[in-house]
Amino acid sequence: AQTVTQSQPEMSVQEAETVTLSCTYDTSESDYYLFWYKQPPSRQMILVIRQEAYKQQNATENRFSVNFQKAAKSFSLKISDSQLGDAAMYFCAYRRSYTSGTYKYIFGTGTRLKVLA
Amino acid sequence: EAQVTQNPRYLITVTGKKLTVTCSQNMNHEYMSWYRQDPGLGLRQIYYSMNVEVTDKGDVPEGYKVSRKEKRNFPLILESPSPNQTSLYFCASLGTSGGGRTDTQYFGPGTRLTVL
């Protein structure tokens, strides 16, 4: 069975600095998707970034980028130039390939990010 | 506006009193899902549906029922709620394009359920 592990329950970063959130996963499949979701105090789940396992290039979205290490089964999120609005709970998630016939998602336990002014 | 709606947003009930949390999406998505979020446990999938009349268990289905009679609706039913079902519940839907390569999962705003 697939699993997703976020080993950092809480992290802090100074405003304008860079922070990296860790995520590891376990799967025997070769084709899958990985995601980072942000959950601010409003509780809304917001997709931050996604990575397709067949792509070697790391995904980037503005100040957010990932370090995808397929062999190590690692998927970390880097937030550059941190802003107060980045303060939130961040969830890493795994999903099997569309060709598997299911869209079952598996989420990690989350990392709470605090941004210090 | 593309959205997933849930009702009610907040609910306090008592043990054993049947309740239904509704979920509706306006994007004609095939896939819908229910999650519960608990502190320290992240989001755990309860049930999901690949299409009308097609549902399957997630990781924590005990104590819950679902039905998918229409594409847009996916209600979550608690026949006899218990205090351990106190949680934050999310409904989500997923649309596919490009053979599933560019799909995005949309989440509803969440339902805070308290069972006394």
Side-chain angles (χ1 to χ4, degrees), chain B residues 2-51:
Chain B
Q3 61 180 354
V4 178
T5 57
Q6 294 178 228
N7 282 292
R9 296 286 309 279
Y10 301 89
L11 179 61
I12 300 175
T13 189
V14 296
T15 299
K17 185 175 181 182
K18 181 179 178 180
L19 67 91
T20 299
V21 184
T22 64
C23 173
S24 182
Q25 49 95 1
N26 63 359
M27 295 165 280
N28 201 36
H29 287 169
E30 291 83 13
Y31 175 87
M32 297 185 74
S33 179
W34 276 103
Y35 299 89
R36 61 176 290 173
Q37 181 180 355
D38 302 289
L41 297 177
L43 276 77
R44 295 178 292 167
Q45 195 168 40
I46 303 171
Y47 271 95
Y48 62 96
S49 169
M50 296 296 289
N51 214 326

Side-chain angles (χ1 to χ4, degrees), chain A residues 39 50 95 98 103-104, chain B residues 37 45 59 96 101 103:
Chain A
Q39 186 181 45
R50 57 178 281 152
R95 203 200 83 205
Y98 172 76
Y103 289 119
K104 189 175 189 299
Chain B
Q37 181 180 355
Q45 195 168 40
D59 295 318
T96 60
R101 291 291 182 193
D103 53 279

